[in-house]
Amino acid sequence: EESPIRVGPFGSDSGGVTIVLLLDRSNSMSAALPDVKRTAIEFVNLMYAGDSMAVATFGEDGRLEQNFTTDKDSLTAAINAMTLEPYTALYDGVLFGLELLRDVPGYKAIVLLTAGRDRDSQADLQEAIDSVAVAGIPVFGIGLGLKPDFGEPELQQITAASNGSYYRSPTTTELAQIYQTIFFRLYRFWYRISYTTGNCSPDDTLRTVRIDAKVGTQECS
């Protein structure tokens, strides 16, 4: 047993979050594009000083529009420069986002916005589901105008497998609130647990840590 153990909220002093903002650049976004860009920029502006974000898009394939940075102006410029094309490779986009985050340390997440179902990916749905489950990176998916029988079930399966969340946005009106909710989720429900180990041997081995928590009068592990 280690003591003392310190528990605190995961916030702006906790090393930050690394986010891939993954946006649909298919033609199904054409009517919504001004609002999509505006609300995505508002999401960028919610970043804490320690956060880092990359802007990526998917159309015919996954594309990096702006690499990881803390510079909100650069992220804003990348979002404003986004153009559309007649393809929707959603599953390939998810795999592209995972690859961008693969070697990034610390807490990380994908925030994905799509207005259509996949039509053009080389990967299939099961590959996307399996990949997010193995990666352990939460995907927060926003379905813009998706229907229960058109695109929504697939995105729900991907987000569920990643331990992320799916958000339904019938129109662009809901986007700003959804982004705020995702930002809240990225911080409010995560805690930093730290201790100084009694085993200080720098052997670079992984150590299994068991955490027993007492919630109210109940104990759980």
Side-chain angles (χ1 to χ4, degrees), residues 5-220:
I5 296 174
R6 296 171 292 278
V7 181
F10 187 96
S12 59
D13 64 338
S14 301
V17 180
T18 304
I19 301 168
V20 169
L21 179 59
L22 184 59
L23 302 174
D24 183 350
R25 68 172 191 270
S26 70
N27 283 342
S28 59
M29 296 277 284
S30 56
L33 191 59
D35 286 340
V36 166
K37 290 183 176 182
R38 174 181 55 79
T39 52
I41 291 169
E42 290 174 0
F43 179 63
V44 166
N45 287 328
L46 293 174
M47 291 171 58
Y48 284 131
D51 298 336
S52 179
M53 187 181 294
V55 175
T57 61
F58 59 91
E60 184 177 12
D61 52 14
R63 179 186 299 167
L64 181 61
E65 309 290 353
Q66 170 60 55
N67 208 346
F68 293 107
T69 181
T70 60
D71 183 9
K72 296 180 182 180
D73 289 340
S74 297
L75 295 165
T76 296
I79 292 169
N80 279 328
M82 188 175 73
T83 58
L84 304 181
E85 59 185 37
Y87 304 98
T88 311
L90 170 62
Y91 307 149
D92 288 350
V94 170
L95 298 185
F96 182 73
L98 292 177
E99 181 62 23
L100 290 175
L101 288 167
R102 182 168 59 91
D103 296 324
V104 174
Y107 180 46
K108 46 196 173 182
I110 294 174
V111 177
L112 184 161
L113 170 66
T114 185
R117 72 192 317 175
D118 189 282
R119 298 182 301 170
D120 303 290
S121 286
Q122 296 183 28
D124 60 19
L125 174 60
Q126 193 59 52
E127 186 174 352
I129 291 171
D130 292 344
S131 296
V132 297
V134 170
I137 298 172
V139 178
F140 297 90
I142 306 171
L144 178 58
L146 298 187
K147 307 296 183 184
D149 59 346
F150 186 84
E152 195 170 68
E154 296 91 336
L155 188 53
Q156 288 174 322
Q157 291 178 67
I158 291 171
T159 56
S162 74
N163 288 320
S165 299
Y166 171 74
Y167 299 90
R168 180 181 292 112
S169 185
T171 68
T172 58
T173 303
E174 296 81 17
L175 286 177
Q177 182 59 54
I178 290 172
Y179 278 126
Q180 290 178 5
T181 300
I182 292 173
F183 183 79
F184 179 77
R185 285 286 308 275
L186 286 170
Y187 288 97
R188 176 62 178 85
F189 296 110
W190 292 84
Y191 295 86
R192 177 178 57 187
I193 300 174
S194 58
Y195 66 93
T196 300
T197 177
N199 178 7
C200 296
S201 174
D203 53 11
D204 295 326
T205 59
L206 294 176
R207 300 174 185 179
T208 300
V209 176
R210 169 173 170 163
I211 299 174
D212 295 325
K214 180 177 290 186
V215 182
T217 58
Q218 298 181 338
E219 290 191 2
C220 58

